[in-house]
Amino acid sequence: MKKNLNDSLSDYIKLIRFKSKKSQKDVAKELNISRNTYSIWEKNPVQLKLDTLIEIGTILNNDIIIFFNQYVAECNKEK
């Protein structure tokens, strides 16, 4: 069963957060939001504005745009 963008992006954000050795609390603090809010965002990132996703990527030393490009390329391959 193919994952949707939300599941894929959620998994990606969690993965890069783990690789960055940051907790949800660490990221939330840098975003100036509560850990609970960040947790919700991490579970459903598709509802976030692109600039927020970019900011999360910056905090985690990763480029969310690269993920989108890879995701779109994979989707196009499957067509």
Side-chain angles (χ1 to χ4, degrees):
M1 185 164 139
K2 185 179 172 192
K3 285 186 152 192
N4 64 34
L5 176 59
N6 189 61
D7 291 338
S8 298
L9 184 55
S10 178
D11 290 345
Y12 181 71
I13 290 171
K14 288 175 199 169
L15 176 69
I16 62 174
R17 181 173 57 78
F18 289 136
K19 284 184 175 181
S20 297
K21 297 184 176 155
K22 292 190 179 195
S23 68
Q24 287 184 339
K25 186 177 180 179
D26 296 333
V27 178
K29 185 175 180 180
E30 290 189 54
L31 290 168
N32 201 28
I33 60 172
S34 73
R35 190 217 49 88
N36 190 49
T37 298
Y38 179 77
S39 177
I40 292 167
W41 286 2
E42 197 172 88
K43 290 176 188 167
N44 195 7
V46 170
Q47 294 183 359
L48 294 174
K49 293 180 181 176
L50 185 57
D51 57 338
T52 303
L53 287 169
I54 291 169
E55 188 175 1
I56 291 169
T58 300
I59 289 167
L60 298 174
N61 299 315
N62 206 291
D63 191 340
I64 296 290
I65 300 302
I66 292 171
F67 166 78
F68 280 115
N69 289 337
Q70 292 169 342
Y71 184 83
V72 169
E74 286 298 316
C75 288
N76 286 337
K77 262 198 260 184
E78 294 175 8
K79 289 183 179 182

